[in-house]
Amino acid sequence: MIVEPSIAKTRSLIDRWRTSGETIGLVPTMGYFHAGHLALMNQCRQTADRTVVSLFVNPTQFGADEDLDLYPRDFEGDCDKARAAGVDMVFCPEAGAMYGAAHRTIVTVSELTEGLCGVDRPDHFTGVTTVVTKLFNITGPDYAFFGEKDFQQLTVIMRLVNDLNFNIKVVGVGIVRERDGLAMSSRNAYLSASEREEAVVLYRALKTIRDEAVCKRYRDSSALLTSGRALIERSPACTVDYLSIADERTLQPQHTVTDRCRVFGAIKVSGRIRLIDNLALYG
Ligand code: AMP
């Protein structure tokens, strides 16, 4: 496995693969790999001839009061996991190489980025779409893999690829969960044992809403959300950031559940660890 921090060398190595007729898959990540990341890598390996994983904790997608400096990192451990997963290359640029002092360009997707996580994190998605555009231009992939855990991000990237005519197929990969249902996340590493036990309440609330919508055919979003919110509020460490039933293509909140709806949630554990999750309300 090649571990390459240089943008120029990454380009020329991938160019060589492309010239010899191989297809390229890209898995953008911020590292601290868990089974969710590995599912993306596996899907990539099954789809493309070459699997490139970018490992970059992108400073521009963190707000000033967020956890950029604390974000969990384990470079050696990540390289071992990627190697074991059959990854061909880890591209791991320095922040200074990605954003030189003269950097002035941003890429913004409107509307889709304004609700859900965009309310609390107004600049987050511009950071994501800017870095993903740069990663696409550096690696020139045929396929790019994103997790449904960050469903809003996946939707925004699909819009970006369409709107800017990137010749890239975006592949969404299902959410990988712990045994009790908690969605895997690098940020779960911040949780103490008791916070970890409480954190699963987000999944439980989404699951309750899903069961009521799918099994009992309840259609009134506000009643469904009220019962989900009550469940989370029973957990002393957890506060609701948002809970929303929205159309999965437009991400617009829906008063009545349709067969294109998902329930999206974000909580804060102990006021500092923000966790997100979502579930389809059909199928
Ligand atoms: P991150 O390193 O947190 O930026 O995540 C990198 C990619 O992995 C993103 O496309 C995430 O949506 C995806 N991902 C993170 N956690 C999970 C999970 N539990 N299941 C599936 N995909 C995930």
Side-chain angles (χ1 to χ4, degrees), residues 19-82:
T19 309
S20 66
E22 293 180 298
T23 56
I24 314 297
L26 174 67
V27 180
T29 80
M30 298 205 300
Y32 213 72
F33 295 152
H34 50 66
H37 295 109
L38 299 181
L40 269 62
M41 295 176 203
N42 283 333
Q43 183 72 53
C44 186
R45 279 197 63 205
Q46 285 167 29
T47 312
D49 297 320
R50 294 288 183 173
T51 294
V52 178
V53 171
S54 61
L55 197 172
F56 179 58
V57 183
N58 174 37
T60 66
Q61 70 189 69
F62 289 80
D65 56 347
E66 292 182 359
D67 56 347
L68 172 62
D69 294 334
L70 291 174
Y71 197 81
R73 291 168 170 87
D74 176 15
F75 185 70
E76 294 305 325
D78 283 349
C79 287
D80 290 345
K81 287 177 186 161

Side-chain angles (χ1 to χ4, degrees), residues 15-247:
D15 272 350
R16 217 179 298 158
W17 289 334
R18 197 177 301 105
T19 309
S20 66
E22 293 180 298
T23 56
I24 314 297
L26 174 67
V27 180
T29 80
M30 298 205 300
Y32 213 72
F33 295 152
H34 50 66
H37 295 109
L38 299 181
L40 269 62
M41 295 176 203
N42 283 333
Q43 183 72 53
C44 186
R45 279 197 63 205
Q46 285 167 29
T47 312
D49 297 320
R50 294 288 183 173
T51 294
V52 178
V53 171
S54 61
L55 197 172
F56 179 58
V57 183
N58 174 37
T60 66
Q61 70 189 69
F62 289 80
D65 56 347
E66 292 182 359
D67 56 347
L68 172 62
D69 294 334
L70 291 174
Y71 197 81
R73 291 168 170 87
D74 176 15
F75 185 70
E76 294 305 325
D78 283 349
C79 287
D80 290 345
K81 287 177 186 161
R83 196 175 290 110
V87 167
D88 295 288
M89 181 197 279
V90 171
F91 169 53
C92 49
E94 295 291 334
M98 290 293 273
Y99 300 106
H103 197 282
R104 292 292 179 274
T105 305
I106 54 172
V107 180
T108 299
V109 173
S110 63
E111 288 186 24
L112 292 171
T113 55
E114 286 158 20
L116 303 174
C117 288
V119 174
D120 226 39
R121 309 185 76 191
D123 300 321
H124 169 70
F125 287 110
T126 292
V128 170
T129 44
T130 301
V131 80
V132 168
T133 299
K134 289 165 74 72
L135 294 170
F136 284 171
N137 283 328
I138 293 164
T139 61
D142 301 279
Y143 305 92
F145 298 81
F146 293 86
E148 289 187 353
K149 212 261 291 169
D150 302 274
F151 197 90
Q152 186 175 17
Q153 169 175 281
L154 170 64
T155 307
V156 167
I157 299 293
M158 284 178 165
R159 190 73 262 147
L160 167 83
V161 162
N162 265 279
D163 290 354
L164 297 188
N165 306 96
F166 281 108
N167 192 13
I168 298 170
K169 180 162 176 13
V170 175
V171 181
V173 178
I175 302 174
V176 180
R177 300 181 177 281
E178 303 283 358
R179 287 170 68 101
D180 63 356
L182 177 71
M184 290 203 182
S185 163
S186 304
R187 288 192 169 98
N188 293 350
Y190 299 141
L191 299 166
S192 70
S194 65
E195 288 168 339
R196 165 66 186 82
E197 263 181 44
E198 288 197 38
V200 72
V201 76
L202 173 57
Y203 171 71
R204 295 220 177 105
L206 301 185
K207 179 84 168 43
T208 300
I209 292 171
R210 183 196 148 89
D211 289 347
E212 289 182 350
V214 175
C215 307
K216 299 189 189 157
R217 307 292 300 164
Y218 292 174
R219 303 282 89 177
D220 177 16
S221 297
S222 79
L224 288 165
L225 294 171
T226 301
S227 67
R229 186 175 278 270
L231 216 156
I232 295 170
E233 282 167 357
R234 256 186 267 150
S235 186
C238 301
T239 49
V240 178
D241 245 16
Y242 66 76
L243 208 52
S244 177
I245 291 174
D247 183 287

